[in-house]
Amino acid sequence: LDIYYSIDGYIEKDDYLIIYGSQLSYYSSEYAKKTYITKVSTHGVIVWQQEFNDSNLFYRIFINNDDSITVLTNKTYNITYLKIYNLNLNGVIIDDSENYFNDYQIENVVKLKEYYLIYLEDRNLNTKFAKINFDGTIEHEISYHDEKYRYFFTDMIEFEGQIYLSAYSIPYIEDTQWGRGEIRDILDTIFKLEAKHQTITDEYVL
């Protein structure tokens, strides 16, 4: 049995670190991956380690004021699930919850004073936000639509209790396909010329 550890990052808090990463295992032809977090003192002593056997990706880890820890992960190889684990200061899981978002995958998570805000996106680039209470229950979901533009949110952060979003928009075009119309016209011209085996010259440049 070969076991490999990969460190994805760490969080620093006063006199200790919370290190998080993945444990990779090879069982003959079988490959397994699970996540773990480890509490390490500033002197390099391992205080405790907790594994999450049904997850392979961390979304966020929060150290709370009482030194308890909240871990938000996926379900193994499925990023449409959000699993929330609450650990006491000794690293013991005291409760957990799970939410499934159908075809939407989790792109970002921020923590506010009374809830988590989850940013989700599906394969067609439709987006929405989910407000989740600390006990894991979904309070409500929010989506944003506009008749003229399609919006894409690229990042979401929390700062001093406020949410900050970065985004860009693309106008809809007549055939309901989103994108930039001038680029579409250029591509249409190129495809038509290729179909006729013609050479693209300056006269075809729009």
Side-chain angles (χ1 to χ4, degrees):
L1 174 63
D2 294 322
I3 298 178
Y4 304 89
Y5 288 92
S6 171
I7 296 176
D8 298 328
Y10 67 91
I11 304 171
E12 187 173 1
K13 176 71 181 292
D14 299 332
D15 58 347
Y16 66 88
L17 300 174
I18 296 296
I19 299 173
Y20 56 93
S22 303
Q23 178 180 310
L24 312 178
S25 303
Y26 293 90
Y27 302 89
S28 60
S29 60
E30 184 180 354
Y31 169 80
K33 180 178 180 181
K34 56 186 177 182
T35 53
Y36 70 92
I37 63 173
T38 305
K39 182 177 181 178
V40 181
S41 72
T42 52
H43 300 292
V45 178
I46 294 178
V47 181
W48 52 256
Q49 179 170 295
Q50 180 60 254
E51 297 178 349
F52 305 92
N53 294 320
D54 194 26
S55 302
N56 72 299
L57 175 69
F58 288 112
Y59 295 127
R60 283 290 186 275
I61 298 175
F62 300 104
I63 300 177
N64 305 310
N65 293 333
D66 60 355
D67 282 339
S68 64
I69 296 173
T70 302
V71 178
L72 292 86
T73 74
N74 71 332
K75 192 172 184 177
T76 303
Y77 300 111
N78 193 330
I79 54 178
T80 60
Y81 279 86
L82 174 67
K83 304 191 73 171
I84 302 176
Y85 297 93
N86 289 303
L87 288 67
N88 64 20
L89 53 82
N90 296 315
V92 178
I93 297 175
I94 53 178
D95 62 68
D96 62 90
S97 63
E98 178 178 301
N99 287 294
Y100 175 55
F101 294 101
N102 298 315
D103 295 328
Y104 283 82
Q105 63 186 36
I106 292 121
E107 296 291 337
N108 204 342
V109 178
V110 296
K111 180 182 179 182
L112 291 171
K113 186 176 181 180
E114 298 179 348
Y115 60 88
Y116 302 107
L117 188 63
I118 317 297
Y119 172 58
L120 304 124
E121 185 177 286
D122 70 6
R123 292 182 179 180
N124 296 317
L125 302 181
N126 296 306
T127 60
K128 66 179 180 179
F129 296 88
K131 182 180 177 180
I132 299 181
N133 297 319
F134 289 154
D135 63 3
T137 58
I138 298 177
E139 185 167 325
H140 61 258
E141 297 181 359
I142 307 165
S143 59
Y144 184 81
H145 300 282
D146 188 278
E147 295 181 356
K148 295 183 179 180
Y149 295 93
R150 185 167 190 150
Y151 287 86
F152 299 87
F153 297 92
T154 56
D155 203 1
M156 176 175 69
I157 63 171
E158 179 275 337
F159 180 70
E160 295 185 347
Q162 301 294 320
I163 294 292
Y164 294 86
L165 299 171
S166 61
Y168 64 94
S169 64
I170 295 178
Y172 284 100
I173 53 180
E174 294 179 0
D175 59 3
T176 71
Q177 298 295 318
W178 54 272
R180 296 198 47 167
E182 65 269 27
I183 296 176
R184 177 200 57 184
D185 293 338
I186 293 172
L187 292 175
D188 286 344
T189 301
I190 292 174
F191 292 146
K192 288 175 182 177
L193 291 173
E194 288 182 344
K196 296 178 181 179
H197 303 288
Q198 295 182 20
T199 302
I200 300 174
T201 61
D202 290 342
E203 64 182 291
Y204 291 106
V205 176
L206 301 179

